[in-house]
Amino acid sequence: MAVKDIKKLSLETLAQEQQRPTADEAIRLHVKGESRFICDEPKPERLHYATVVVSPYAHARIKQIDAETAKQIDGVVGVFTWRDIPGENELGIKIKDEPLLPENIVSYIGQPVAVIVAATPAIAERACQAVSVDYEVLEPILTIERARAKNSLLAPEFGLSAGDTEKGFAESDYVLEGVITSCAQEHLYFETQRVRAIPGEGAEMLLQSSTQSPSEVQTLAARVLGVDRKDITVDVKRLGGAFGGKESAAGLWSCLAALVCYHLKLPIELKLSREQDMAWTGKRHPFESSFKVGFDKAGRIHAYAVEFDADGGACADLTMAIMQRAVLHAENAYHIPNIKVLARPLKTNIAPNTAFRGFGAPQGVFVIESVIQRIARKLGKDPLEIRKLNAYQEQDGAPYGQQLHEANVLPLLERLEEHTDYQVLKEKVREFNRHQRFIKRGIGIVPVKFGISFTTPFLNQGSALVHLYADGSVSVSHGGIEMGQSVNTKVARIVAAEMGVPLQRVKIESHNTKRTANTSPTAASTGADINGNAARNAAREIIDRLRPLAVQLLERKYGHAAKRILFENGYAFSADAPQERLTLRELAVQAWQSRIDLSAHGYYSTPRLNFDWETGRGTPFSYYVYGCGLVVAEVDLLTGYVTLKEAHLIHETAQTVDERVDRGQIEGAFIQGVGWCIFEEVVYDSQGKNLTESLTTYKIPAIGDIPEKWSIEMIQAEREFAGVKGSKAVGEPPFLYGEAAFFAVKDAIESIWDYTIEADLRMPATPESVLRAIDSVSNKRA
């Protein structure tokens, strides 16, 4: 093909591209309702449907399973129990305590004990009702208090310490002790747990799973079936939300579908209804935390000891990693010279609690922020004053020894104070309260220091596969999972910038374990960092191969030496002569015809990480994200109803890859945090049954619950310690700003008696909880 022909084709292609949409195509598909999620793809021939028989008891012994009646129902093709597992009956990764299907003991209501496959979902559900299981009911453990009394542990307790807490308490002017509780939270992703298992040749199987952890699903399915991982392919195009609820929990449903697909050699679909998903799956870990704090007359903390008791549910799942992050965030944004933190992972008979946005940090931070509030009340000071006094300074060290570079806690609090005209705002709130008998307002403030990296070090790695096609378009496969957080958009922007191509010429493929193997979960706010860097490395490798060829072609075309080659807007050109250029398509065709590899695998591992839990010392995080939030809440004292009047958030994004995406994450995380603290209450009855298994009994924030006045300032300053392209993670840290809403409600209640009595407000601050807290203040006054 002649150069002039290539040039003509390139110009035609570029002209066509001007007619293409320039925005993120996925957004357009979502808005038009055309996005395809798991089980939305065309149904394969002979597709059958699986459903599960689950335990109605929180703790019981299985005496007998009788499925003969179910097997006789027309359309039923199989009933499977633990006896049909060809490999290992185990889903636990580090702690092997979770059977796929129990042999003898059921440990929570909703635990699958058998799988039924039928020609239609209705037949499968009817067959479930025909299965008879004889149980011997055992005594369950359903509360943290009961688990603690029984010493019911998922794993040994652990923790860390720094300084001398006993000496710190002895030298303090005041010492306070107490117990802080935080509650569970339902993930409520739009897309419920679901999977399709499609048989291939021999032992081959394709799993289209709604999971954040394709490699883990691949590992577990291979283990359960007794085959190699090479025989299992997991493919995920996108998820309809996850929030941590599909990091490990998706493995159960995927392996159940894989098991029956293995036996029947039929395509299988397993999909939970909304009620089933809410009733049978684990939630955010509830914590009950006892603390002791010593401080001086100014409010400076000298010593802090805290014990986290977490309800892990019936098996370990990710409880240990979640508690590790809680321990590592126990002091939040405050320098405490003497500190001791203990974590106790408790085992109960509810569904295994699991990952949720923030991954233990919100629970740990909530305790110290509650303590700050109590110190302020004890001293009759403004809580903001106590926060500023104790805030980390540049070059302070965390309790585990990591040095805090670019610690911006105090400057951000001062910026928030100035931005909101805090002193004037506080006086306005108090003036309002003086003139209102049945409506009160309060202010809550929470700063955030959130560490970015998996606390399990080996997970801090990413990979990507990039192809440059001969027409100049680019295909990218990477180790992340798109689940509404727009990690695909960020990776596409990173690759487009590195290769100098328009964004619309980059396509992000589905995550497939044949293209990107041994990947880490998309979690811990690391998805864009580790996979974006991996894709960047791959793109850079391709461009580096093209540079020598570009020099040759430019010299041949324009008759003089080309110097430093740049790639921008779909062109390659010399830095000293930008008007003399080649299209990337022209260059790609010549590279292909010159037998230059146009594909590259990229890899990235996060540097500088090391941590030893034996000593409690090291560098567990690549960097920290800093920010702070202020909320003004209004409380109706007669109904307990809460209205958010104002919210002001200042969040450090550093050099954001996509400002719109980051702003959306800040908004969504904050509102989800507000939901945890104010609206969302998971309730179990005395037998361990979830009573809040639908949206008729479980309240999440709605459009009317958004703050009436809401500002977000994104600090986009350059940072030495940051993630991909100088940006900082944004998925989880803003969740913690929602805790400011809780403290605003508490502040409003305590204004009833001019802040002289502390209200016993329990999370979540639902109307019932608010009214009980008002009674507690009134009773103390009496």
Side-chain angles (χ1 to χ4, degrees):
M1 182 180 292
V3 172
K4 64 177 183 179
D5 294 327
I6 295 173
K7 183 177 180 180
K8 180 180 178 182
L9 285 171
S10 300
L11 292 173
E12 290 174 353
T13 301
L14 289 172
Q16 293 169 1
E17 287 173 358
Q18 300 304 314
Q19 306 303 317
R20 297 180 184 177
T22 57
D24 180 2
E25 183 63 17
I27 295 175
R28 294 177 179 271
L29 293 173
H30 292 337
V31 171
K32 294 165 67 177
E34 296 177 357
S35 302
R36 288 184 177 180
F37 296 86
I38 306 299
C39 301
D40 283 346
E41 298 290 346
K43 296 180 180 180
E45 291 185 9
R46 303 175 66 213
L47 177 67
H48 280 62
Y49 300 87
T51 190
V52 290
V53 179
V54 301
S55 169
Y57 300 106
H59 195 201
R61 179 174 288 107
I62 300 173
K63 299 174 70 175
Q64 184 180 7
I65 299 176
D66 183 359
E68 291 307 312
T69 301
K71 291 177 180 179
Q72 302 308 311
I73 296 175
D74 188 35
V76 172
V77 297
V79 180
F80 303 87
T81 68
W82 66 272
R83 297 181 185 277
D84 300 298
I85 297 173
E88 186 178 351
N89 186 16
E90 182 55 62
L91 297 179
I93 298 296
K94 282 192 172 181
I95 300 175
K96 295 191 174 183
D97 63 351
E98 184 179 4
L100 176 63
L101 292 167
E103 180 178 349
N104 297 309
I105 302 294
V106 291
S107 300
Y108 62 93
I109 291 175
Q111 183 174 7
V113 298
V115 191
I116 292 177
V117 181
T120 69
I123 295 174
E125 288 292 344
R126 183 156 60 93
C128 269
Q129 305 304 315
V131 175
S132 175
V133 184
D134 186 13
Y135 295 98
E136 176 190 347
V137 180
L138 305 173
E139 182 182 6
I141 296 174
L142 299 174
T143 65
I144 288 176
E145 181 181 14
R146 181 73 172 160
R148 191 168 51 230
K150 289 283 189 179
N151 196 33
S152 176
L153 296 171
L154 291 165
E157 60 187 34
F158 67 98
L160 60 79
S161 63
D164 186 337
T165 52
E166 292 306 316
K167 182 180 178 183
F169 290 133
E171 294 176 349
S172 298
D173 295 322
Y174 302 96
V175 174
L176 295 178
E177 297 184 61
V179 176
I180 306 294
T181 60
S182 59
C183 58
Q185 185 180 22
E186 168 63 42
H187 298 86
L188 210 75
Y189 27 68
F190 280 172
E191 174 194 53
T192 58
Q193 299 280 358
R194 59 190 60 194
V195 58
R196 271 188 187 166
I198 302 172
E201 297 177 343
E204 291 179 0
M205 186 181 299
L206 170 64
L207 295 177
Q208 296 171 333
S209 171
S210 184
T211 178
Q212 296 172 239
S213 310
S215 289
E216 182 174 307
V217 166
Q218 180 192 42
T219 299
L220 294 176
R223 178 196 292 174
V224 166
L225 300 181
V227 300
D228 293 334
R229 286 178 63 178
K230 67 174 176 57
D231 298 318
I232 306 295
T233 301
V234 181
D235 190 273
V236 184
K237 188 170 186 63
R238 63 171 64 88
L239 306 185
F243 309 116
K246 298 173 181 177
E247 183 175 345
S248 61
L252 169 62
W253 313 105
S254 296
C255 288
L256 290 173
L259 173 65
V260 297
C261 176
Y262 172 90
H263 284 288
L264 297 173
K265 303 300 181 186
L266 290 170
I268 301 295
E269 180 174 299
L270 193 163
K271 181 166 60 175
L272 301 191
S273 68
R274 174 62 61 196
E275 289 75 16
Q276 289 171 337
D277 196 295
M278 294 181 71
W280 299 346
T281 62
K283 319 301 178 192
R284 181 185 297 280
H285 288 67
F287 273 42
E288 184 177 291
S289 307
S290 56
F291 74 88
K292 182 178 181 180
V293 63
F295 53 97
D296 61 25
K297 294 176 182 178
R300 189 178 298 278
I301 299 174
H302 290 274
Y304 177 55
V306 62
E307 295 185 7
F308 297 134
D309 287 332
D311 184 346
C315 58
D317 195 90
L318 290 168
T319 294
M320 295 303 291
I322 287 163
M323 296 205 78
Q324 286 174 357
R325 184 167 285 271
V327 168
L328 294 171
H329 287 76
E331 89 291 8
N332 189 22
Y334 309 110
H335 177 63
I336 303 176
N338 305 294
I339 185 170
K340 184 177 182 180
V341 188
L342 183 69
R344 194 175 292 114
L346 298 172
K347 180 177 181 178
T348 63
N349 293 114
I350 62 171
N353 286 319
T354 191
F356 203 132
R357 197 178 205 163
F359 206 78
Q363 295 96 314
V365 167
F366 182 72
V367 181
I368 187 61
E369 292 301 325
S370 297
V371 169
I372 292 287
Q373 294 290 127
R374 295 191 181 191
I375 292 173
R377 290 291 180 257
K378 176 67 176 179
L379 297 176
K381 293 178 178 288
D382 188 325
L384 177 57
E385 181 182 343
I386 306 301
R387 289 184 166 94
K388 289 166 61 178
L389 180 66
N390 290 282
Y392 271 123
Q393 304 284 335
E394 178 68 17
Q395 302 302 318
D396 279 342
Y400 37 87
Q402 181 166 350
Q403 191 173 21
L404 302 185
H405 300 283
E406 303 168 328
N408 301 306
V409 181
L410 183 57
L412 289 177
L413 282 171
E414 291 173 342
R415 190 173 186 134
L416 180 68
E417 189 174 15
E418 180 182 356
H419 173 75
T420 59
D421 202 354
Y422 176 71
Q423 297 303 327
V424 173
L425 176 63
K426 185 170 70 170
E427 182 53 38
K428 285 182 179 178
V429 166
R430 297 203 170 192
E431 181 67 17
F432 177 90
N433 290 341
R434 282 192 287 268
H435 291 87
Q436 296 290 333
R437 182 180 179 186
F438 298 116
I439 299 176
K440 300 293 182 182
R441 290 180 180 175
I443 299 175
I445 295 175
V446 169
V448 170
K449 173 188 69 67
F450 195 99
I452 301 300
S453 288
F454 287 98
T455 56
T456 302
F458 79 87
L459 294 176
N460 293 287
Q461 57 179 304
S463 61
L465 179 63
V466 176
H467 300 304
L468 172 61
Y469 293 106
D471 67 350
S473 63
V474 180
S475 166
V476 181
S477 297
H478 65 85
I481 293 293
E482 176 58 52
M483 46 192 173
Q485 85 284 37
S486 294
V487 66
N488 280 355
T489 298
K490 285 192 171 184
V491 172
R493 285 192 178 277
I494 290 165
V495 171
E498 198 66 35
M499 302 186 73
V501 299
L503 181 61
Q504 64 266 25
R505 302 229 69 195
V506 179
K507 183 179 188 301
I508 305 294
E509 308 292 348
S510 64
H511 182 125
N512 186 289
T513 53
K514 288 293 190 289
R515 293 192 295 269
T516 49
N518 306 310
T519 56
S520 298
T522 302
S525 300
T526 64
D529 278 355
I530 60 176
N531 297 296
N533 270 314
R536 187 185 190 190
N537 290 341
R540 185 174 293 169
E541 184 176 336
I542 294 171
I543 291 299
D544 285 346
R545 293 182 199 147
L546 293 177
R547 278 198 168 92
L549 179 62
V551 169
Q552 295 177 20
L553 294 179
L554 285 169
E555 289 179 357
R556 185 186 310 163
K557 185 173 183 179
Y558 294 104
H560 57 81
K563 296 184 179 179
R564 186 167 59 97
I565 302 299
L566 301 179
F567 291 80
E568 291 181 9
N569 300 320
Y571 293 96
F573 54 87
S574 176
D576 61 338
Q579 73 282 0
E580 299 176 358
R581 55 191 184 176
L582 303 167
T583 67
L584 186 60
R585 172 172 179 162
E586 182 179 352
L587 184 58
V589 168
Q590 288 294 327
W592 173 52
Q593 293 178 349
S594 301
R595 295 183 295 177
I596 294 174
D597 188 2
L598 296 178
S599 299
H601 171 260
Y603 177 80
Y604 176 81
S605 63
T606 308
R608 302 187 299 272
L609 299 180
N610 65 85
F611 191 80
D612 183 357
W613 278 103
E614 292 295 322
T615 63
R617 294 292 182 273
T619 304
F621 301 119
S622 175
Y623 61 89
Y624 295 95
V625 175
Y626 297 97
C628 51
L630 179 151
V631 172
V632 178
E634 184 176 277
V635 178
D636 186 320
L637 303 184
L638 299 180
T639 65
Y641 188 79
V642 173
T643 302
L644 300 187
K645 305 300 291 184
E646 298 184 32
H648 304 280
L649 313 179
I650 298 180
H651 186 81
E652 182 190 45
T653 60
Q655 296 175 304
T656 176
V657 173
D658 190 309
E659 183 174 343
R660 295 175 307 162
V661 167
D662 285 354
R663 184 173 295 276
Q665 286 294 290
I666 294 168
E667 292 171 348
F670 168 70
I671 290 298
Q672 194 171 46
V674 168
W676 177 51
C677 295
I678 303 294
F679 298 103
E680 303 180 39
E681 186 173 20
V682 179
V683 179
Y684 295 92
D685 69 12
S686 61
Q687 302 304 309
K689 184 180 187 300
N690 185 352
L691 300 178
T692 46
E693 59 184 18
S694 73
L695 288 172
T696 59
T697 52
Y698 188 81
K699 169 75 171 90
I700 63 171
I703 191 69
D705 299 312
I706 290 175
E708 295 176 8
K709 181 180 180 181
W710 190 1
S711 70
I712 296 174
E713 181 182 2
M714 297 165 61
I715 307 298
Q716 299 189 41
E718 184 176 344
R719 296 285 184 250
E720 179 183 355
F721 293 84
V724 62
K725 294 182 72 67
S727 66
K728 286 199 172 186
V730 75
E732 294 174 291
F735 180 95
L736 283 78
Y737 303 143
E739 295 183 7
F742 178 89
F743 295 118
V745 174
K746 192 171 186 288
D747 187 62
I749 296 170
E750 290 171 351
S751 74
I752 298 172
W753 300 111
D754 200 23
Y755 311 101
T756 58
I757 301 177
E758 184 182 1
D760 184 19
L761 179 65
R762 300 295 183 94
M763 180 197 285
T766 60
E768 297 88 345
S769 181
V770 167
L771 293 176
R772 285 193 293 267
I774 294 171
D775 286 343
S776 76
V777 173
S778 301
N779 292 335
K780 288 179 182 179
R781 181 72 174 180

